Amino acid sequence: MKKPKTNKDNKSQRETKKPVKQPPGIGFSWFYVFIIILMLIISIFSRFGNEPEQISWLDFEQKMLSQHDVAKIVVVNKEIAEIYIKKEKLSENRYKSLTEGVFDGSSGPHYIMQIGSVESFESKLERARQDFTKDEFIEVTYTTTLNWLAVLSWILPIGLLIFFWWIILSRSRPGGTGSSIFKFGKSTAKLMDRTIKSTTTFNDVAGLKEAKIEIKEIVDFLKNPETYTRLGAKIPKGVLLVGPPGTGKTLMARAVAGEAQVPFFSLSGSEFVEMFVGVGASRVRDLFKNAKESAPSIIFIDEIDAVGRTRDKANAFRTNDERETTLNQLLTELDGFGVNTGVIVLAATNRADVLDKALLRPGRFDRHIFLELPNKEERKEIFLVHLRPIKKAKDVDIEILASLSPGFSGADIANICNEAALIAARKQKKEVAQLDFMEARDRVIGGLERKSKIISPKEKEIIAHHEAGHAVVSWYLKNVDALVKVSIIPRGKSLGAAWYLPEEHQIITKSQFIDQICASLGGRAAEEIIFNEASSGALDDLEKVTKQAYIMVAYYGLDKEIGPISFYDSTGQYESSLFKPYSEKMAETIDNEVQDLIHTAYETTIGILQEHKTELMKLAQLLLKKEVAEQDDLEKILGKRNRGTETINSKI
Ligand code: ADP
């Protein structure tokens, strides 16, 4: 068993060895390209510059041959005859132009002439020389030379093609334009060395108690490996952080780097996947090589699902050889380094279900740390962390902020705090007040208010009744979350919005599902009751309702007709397959049941709104007047919420 290197060993190793920093490759490549182009240009122009005059056979015969001026003829490539004039004749007046202003005008060739074919040229020459004396003779030689223009005509396009290919490659890869093509297969991992201290620590990670305990153990493995190896324990190689987006996976990995103070190689799974087969694999190899050289170290692969997706038959239609070879290489590398080499691989994903089983087996990513959306207490802690740098007013109540942000991730909370500070700054305030936080929260949920959006009075009336419809239905249904605010101020893409205070539950019952569907249909039902026709404004609601109904029927087994059957596939295989896991008949039944479910829910919704039509109209008028209805306004019009009605319908 290889003895793990201690921190001390490693320090001295790193002091003599500079961190992995690649020399800039761009200068050299450009230099070569430049030189080649320059040489081509020079060679072309040097020929063009001395190009001799072209003459016809008639001129040649009458003006030169018959005058006995020709010294020699060189036939090039059986196409062109180069004519050399005798030196002593060059001084004569008719040849003056050949030597004037030319560096070595006497050397020739002085003229060129196109010959039809060698045979006809030879016979013509023979005939012309009949009156020559016996001792006068013209030397005729034959040569073949490279035609530069012809060569260039095919070299240049290929050269340009390679050049553009190289530019596109260097732009498309994470290194940007400056990266050399020779470093294509190198790892693009960013190295945070011990000398560049990561400032993130566990203090910056709020909540996530259990996850923190597990991850702290990893830091300890790296800092004091002897404590574990002494007892014969094997230090884990791979740790998978699993959780929804924004729950702090990357933050946790950065905190590990900050706490362990060991080299930290971080990169995203998608950086492995390039256009060419083999590049990803070579990057993986390079990454592990670098990490092993600087052990103890940490490799962090964000979004590992980009490479680690399951390799199954269903994907056969969209084979991705590059991803598979990269994954294979990753598996080999994970197996390849022995236990206790001091390299720990952290990986993050929000789709652990789609990862290849081989990646999750013991000896690879066998430790899974689950990060979940924070509960109220944890949200309070996260608010505390992100409120640290903010200058807040005395009225800021973290308790209220935490309770008004259910279902929010750590990233959402960080966003709210930052938005609130920006809103306060825009209003030239000295401190950030509770109101700013509430505004920021609304903005994070619904997008920016767009008061300037032009809406006609008729449209405004429809929107007001639509939103009032949602409010009234959800007010009188037992299983819909508490309604806090309704607004018809356009925000982001939507023209109006209703704010609810979701309760935190882990499971959803059938009646809760149906009540939610009714509340979502409230807007469209109100339009139909008041205006006798529906508008296109309910698109988002209808999309949500349809998806929810399909999930209930096909996934959760909540439909009577179909029964407790689920076509949900946690492995993600069906998702990518062309075939459905059920028959045509079953597909038809599912469609019918979904349609039935939604129609019944719609009837119930219409019923509720007919019963409370006066309240609906009153609330719509209030919205038209004030644009926003707060909880007090709602209570004044709709009465205290008693949560009595339940829509559960035995027909469904
Ligand atoms: P993930 O990688 O899980 O998608 P990140 O780690 O990138 O999420 O989180 C994004 C941001 O959200 C972090 O930079 C941090 O500001 C904030 N954040 C998330 N979770 C937490 C937490 N538990 N404590 C403090 N801040 C958090």
Side-chain angles (χ1 to χ4, degrees):
M1 197 192 296
K2 203 175 155 191
K3 187 178 165 286
K5 282 184 194 128
T6 62
N7 274 348
K8 224 170 104 205
D9 294 340
N10 195 52
K11 192 175 175 202
S12 58
Q13 187 189 0
R14 217 165 314 111
E15 270 161 5
T16 50
K17 216 189 276 177
K18 277 259 170 231
V20 206
K21 199 180 170 219
Q22 312 282 5
I26 184 164
F28 275 105
S29 321
W30 275 108
F31 182 70
Y32 290 135
V33 171
F34 179 72
I35 291 285
I36 291 169
I37 291 177
L38 199 73
M39 276 164 57
L40 287 176
I41 290 172
I42 288 174
S43 76
I44 294 166
F45 280 97
S46 62
R47 277 196 71 78
F48 287 158
N50 289 339
E51 197 75 353
E53 189 188 334
Q54 186 151 356
I55 52 163
S56 65
W57 170 262
L58 214 61
D59 275 348
F60 170 66
E61 193 184 10
Q62 289 177 355
K63 293 181 185 161
M64 294 161 211
L65 211 54
S66 57
Q67 305 299 320
H68 306 273
D69 292 348
V70 180
K72 72 171 177 177
I73 299 171
V74 178
V75 179
V76 183
N77 295 344
K78 298 183 182 169
E79 284 174 1
I80 290 167
E82 291 179 344
I83 298 148
Y84 292 76
I85 304 293
K86 286 177 184 160
K87 274 200 181 131
E88 63 273 20
K89 298 277 186 172
L90 282 173
S91 52
E92 288 179 16
N93 257 352
R94 54 206 159 104
Y95 297 122
K96 268 262 155 43
S97 61
L98 293 178
T99 44
E100 258 174 14
V102 181
F103 171 62
D104 185 15
S106 59
S107 63
H110 302 105
Y111 295 98
I112 55 166
M113 178 174 62
Q114 294 284 347
I115 57 168
S117 70
V118 178
E119 290 76 25
S120 74
F121 172 71
E122 279 174 348
S123 61
K124 273 198 266 180
L125 193 64
E126 202 50 46
R127 253 180 281 129
R129 275 174 38 184
Q130 272 168 6
D131 55 333
F132 275 38
T133 54
K134 270 207 173 139
D135 51 340
E136 188 183 358
F137 104 119
I138 301 171
E139 184 193 342
V140 181
T141 51
Y142 297 86
T143 62
T144 345
T145 58
L146 205 56
N147 185 345
W148 273 102
L149 267 181
V151 173
L152 257 191
S153 65
W154 62 266
I155 279 191
L156 216 62
I158 293 177
L160 280 175
L161 217 72
I162 293 175
F163 180 65
F164 284 119
W165 174 71
W166 173 68
I167 288 202
I168 291 166
L169 277 192
S170 53
R171 267 172 201 275
S172 67
R173 65 177 300 242
T177 37
S179 309
S180 157
I181 195 162
F182 304 112
K183 281 188 256 153
F184 203 57
K186 294 274 187 236
S187 156
T188 50
K190 291 174 280 298
L191 172 69
M192 284 189 219
D193 203 13
R194 193 182 342 189
T195 44
I196 315 159
K197 278 194 182 168
S198 166
T199 46
T200 314
T201 64
F202 285 134
N203 280 340
D204 299 308
V205 186
L208 308 169
K209 274 197 197 74
E210 294 84 2
K212 260 200 282 195
I213 293 171
E214 284 206 56
I215 211 106
K216 272 181 181 163
E217 209 177 62
I218 310 271
V219 175
D220 208 39
F221 287 149
L222 290 166
K223 279 186 157 172
N224 316 301
E226 299 87 8
T227 326
Y228 300 88
T229 49
R230 199 161 32 94
L231 299 172
K234 286 179 191 154
I235 294 175
K237 285 186 198 169
V239 179
L240 191 66
L241 299 166
V242 188
T247 40
K249 298 182 291 291
T250 317
L251 183 73
M252 194 72 115
R254 260 191 273 138
V256 173
E259 295 277 344
Q261 295 290 294
V262 295
F264 183 79
F265 297 83
S266 99
L267 85 172
S268 163
S270 55
E271 282 174 51
F272 287 125
V273 186
E274 283 281 359
M275 282 180 272
F276 305 104
V277 176
V279 174
S282 112
R283 283 195 184 154
V284 172
R285 230 174 290 130
D286 193 52
L287 170 69
F288 278 80
K289 191 173 137 263
N290 288 345
K292 273 185 262 180
E293 276 169 10
S294 26
S297 61
I298 295 174
I299 295 175
F300 175 60
I301 307 173
D302 205 358
E303 289 158 38
I304 195 168
D305 41 304
V307 269
R309 258 172 197 269
T310 181
R311 303 159 294 176
D312 51 41
K313 286 199 198 88
N315 275 341
F317 296 104
R318 333 189 230 136
T319 42
N320 188 341
D321 282 344
E322 165 60 352
R323 202 169 53 72
E324 270 190 25
T325 35
T326 311
L327 175 60
N328 284 337
Q329 188 62 40
L330 189 63
L331 297 175
T332 319
E333 289 294 341
L334 280 169
D335 286 340
F337 65 88
V339 223
N340 302 341
T341 37
V343 179
I344 290 187
V345 189
L346 290 180
T349 179
N350 44 22
R351 294 292 310 269
D353 52 336
V354 300
L355 289 185
D356 200 287
K357 295 285 165 284
L359 206 55
L360 306 176
R361 77 148 173 72
R364 290 167 182 164
F365 288 103
D366 47 0
R367 260 194 187 218
H368 298 182
I369 299 180
F370 290 93
L371 310 185
E372 296 194 342
L373 285 175
N375 59 27
K376 191 181 155 199
E377 260 328 290
E378 289 172 324
R379 287 200 299 275
K380 233 166 87 181
E381 287 177 36
I382 299 175
F383 263 113
L384 277 173
V385 167
H386 291 285
L387 285 177
R388 259 188 238 150
I390 289 178
K391 235 179 161 186
K392 47 195 174 296
K394 283 206 180 72
D395 69 341
V396 174
D397 189 336
I398 293 177
E399 193 75 36
I400 293 180
L401 288 179
S403 60
L404 286 180
S405 50
F408 282 37
S409 67
D412 291 330
I413 294 176
N415 201 3
I416 289 182
C417 293
N418 191 45
E419 269 308 322
L422 291 177
I423 289 170
R426 217 173 291 141
K427 292 181 193 158
Q428 312 276 342
K429 284 191 188 175
K430 287 207 174 75
E431 289 167 327
V432 190
Q434 180 83 355
L435 208 68
D436 302 320
F437 281 99
M438 300 316 292
E439 212 171 295
R441 174 183 163 274
D442 292 350
R443 192 194 158 159
V444 167
I445 302 175
L448 187 64
E449 274 188 5
R450 289 192 298 161
K451 286 196 173 167
S452 59
K453 192 172 179 130
I454 298 163
I455 297 170
S456 72
K458 178 71 195 160
E459 278 178 340
K460 202 135 199 141
E461 214 177 318
I462 297 177
I463 298 165
H465 283 90
H466 181 107
E467 292 308 325
H470 281 307
V472 171
V473 176
S474 43
W475 196 263
Y476 295 113
L477 285 178
K478 187 181 173 196
N479 294 306
V480 182
D481 299 323
L483 181 68
V484 264
K485 188 170 141 185
V486 188
S487 141
I488 56 164
I489 302 170
R491 239 174 217 286
K493 256 172 52 198
S494 69
L495 300 169
W499 275 262
Y500 296 90
L501 191 58
E503 280 162 26
E504 287 166 36
H505 22 225
Q506 309 301 322
I507 49 167
I508 309 173
T509 62
K510 185 172 174 178
S511 36
Q512 281 169 342
F513 263 123
I514 293 170
D515 281 7
Q516 297 280 5
I517 289 179
C518 289
S520 303
L521 289 171
R524 183 188 163 108
E527 285 180 36
E528 226 171 295
I529 288 176
I530 305 291
F531 305 103
N532 270 328
E533 68 170 351
S535 73
S536 65
L539 176 65
D540 282 352
D541 300 330
L542 297 187
E543 186 192 352
K544 200 168 97 189
V545 162
T546 313
K547 278 191 184 150
Q548 222 161 17
Y550 267 103
I551 289 174
M552 278 178 72
V553 174
Y555 287 175
Y556 291 126
L558 292 177
D559 182 70
K560 271 199 177 153
E561 181 76 23
I562 292 173
I565 293 175
S566 173
F567 299 109
Y568 180 66
D569 168 42
S570 60
T571 60
Q573 288 179 16
Y574 297 156
E575 227 175 75
S576 45
S577 124
L578 291 178
F579 307 105
K580 295 264 178 264
Y582 39 77
S583 67
E584 286 295 318
K585 193 161 166 276
M586 179 55 93
E588 210 178 311
T589 320
I590 292 176
D591 291 343
N592 288 340
E593 287 306 292
V594 165
Q595 213 174 358
D596 252 20
L597 195 153
I598 296 176
H599 278 302
T600 320
Y602 193 62
E603 275 166 31
T604 318
T605 314
I606 294 263
I608 296 173
L609 287 177
Q610 294 280 21
E611 195 186 322
H612 299 283
K613 196 170 169 185
T614 349
E615 288 96 326
L616 170 72
M617 287 162 81
K618 262 196 203 165
L619 183 56
Q621 289 312 313
L622 180 97
L623 283 172
L624 282 170
K625 215 166 91 194
K626 278 178 55 182
E627 292 202 316
V628 181
E630 301 280 352
Q631 183 118 21
D632 299 345
D633 304 315
L634 293 169
E635 275 185 10
K636 252 185 235 155
I637 296 173
L638 306 172
K640 264 241 170 298
R641 192 170 183 229
N642 67 3
R643 300 190 132 206
T645 326
E646 199 168 347
T647 49
I648 185 88
N649 191 321
S650 56
K651 257 168 72 191
I652 304 173

